[in-house]
Amino acid sequence: MKQRKAVVLFSGGVDSTVCLHWARRNFDEAIPIQFRVGESGFEQDLAVFNWDGDETNRQALFLTIAHAYAQKIGASALVIGTNKVDRLKYSDSTESFIVSMQQVLCLGSESSVHIYAPLIDLDKGEIFKLADDLGCL
């Protein structure tokens, strides 16, 4: 059963593009939100936040801002493209981190916005397979 609205953390790369298509399939509305981190991005995105910090706790900041935005617009979900490859490089890309952030954000804001990480256990080959299955290749 589709839920009403999801906010998708969207960099414009493969992982976030697959997540956007996944969200469009699983929710009535999928709204991309972008955080510019020194990479090229899409100007037409719904919201752009500039980040001048290092990699430390970047994911926590992005999730916190995106969660607040999702709550503000009445979205029931926040979708993030964290995957198996990312967690080899970033400690804030693990399932335990996502679950912990979910708990903190919901307790701190009395929100019911749920964080989805549909790629969390997938490597790049599996992500491209999912992209093919979703028809976004």
Side-chain angles (χ1 to χ4, degrees):
M1 178 180 181
K2 285 188 175 184
Q3 297 177 13
R4 208 175 107 222
K5 193 183 300 187
V7 171
V8 180
L9 289 167
F10 186 73
S11 69
V14 171
D15 303 330
S16 64
T17 300
V18 172
C19 282
L20 182 58
H21 283 270
W22 179 89
R24 286 181 174 158
R25 178 160 299 172
N26 288 282
F27 296 90
D28 294 323
E29 186 177 0
I31 302 162
I33 184 172
Q34 183 182 52
F35 296 88
R36 182 146 314 138
V37 292
E39 303 165 1
S40 63
F42 298 96
E43 294 303 321
Q44 74 272 17
D45 288 333
L46 185 60
V48 176
F49 296 89
N50 289 308
W51 174 256
D52 294 326
D54 62 19
E55 298 292 324
T56 307
N57 297 321
R58 186 174 78 178
Q59 189 89 286
L61 176 65
F62 292 171
L63 283 172
T64 301
I65 294 169
H67 186 271
Y69 181 73
Q71 190 175 7
K72 179 180 178 179
I73 66 168
S76 59
L78 178 57
V79 182
I80 184 169
T82 297
N83 59 67
K84 188 185 284 188
V85 177
D86 289 341
R87 71 176 172 240
L88 298 174
K89 297 186 288 188
Y90 308 112
S91 61
D92 61 2
S93 295
T94 63
E95 187 171 356
S96 61
F97 177 83
I98 300 298
V99 168
S100 296
M101 283 299 296
Q102 171 77 53
Q103 293 171 337
V104 167
L105 291 170
C106 286
L107 285 172
S109 65
E110 297 182 7
S111 165
S112 60
V113 175
H114 182 77
I115 300 172
Y116 291 88
L119 313 180
I120 194 87
D121 291 322
L122 304 182
D123 61 28
K124 290 297 182 180
E126 293 165 320
I127 292 168
F128 277 102
K129 167 82 169 81
L130 177 58
D132 190 38
D133 294 345
L134 292 170
C136 63
L137 277 182

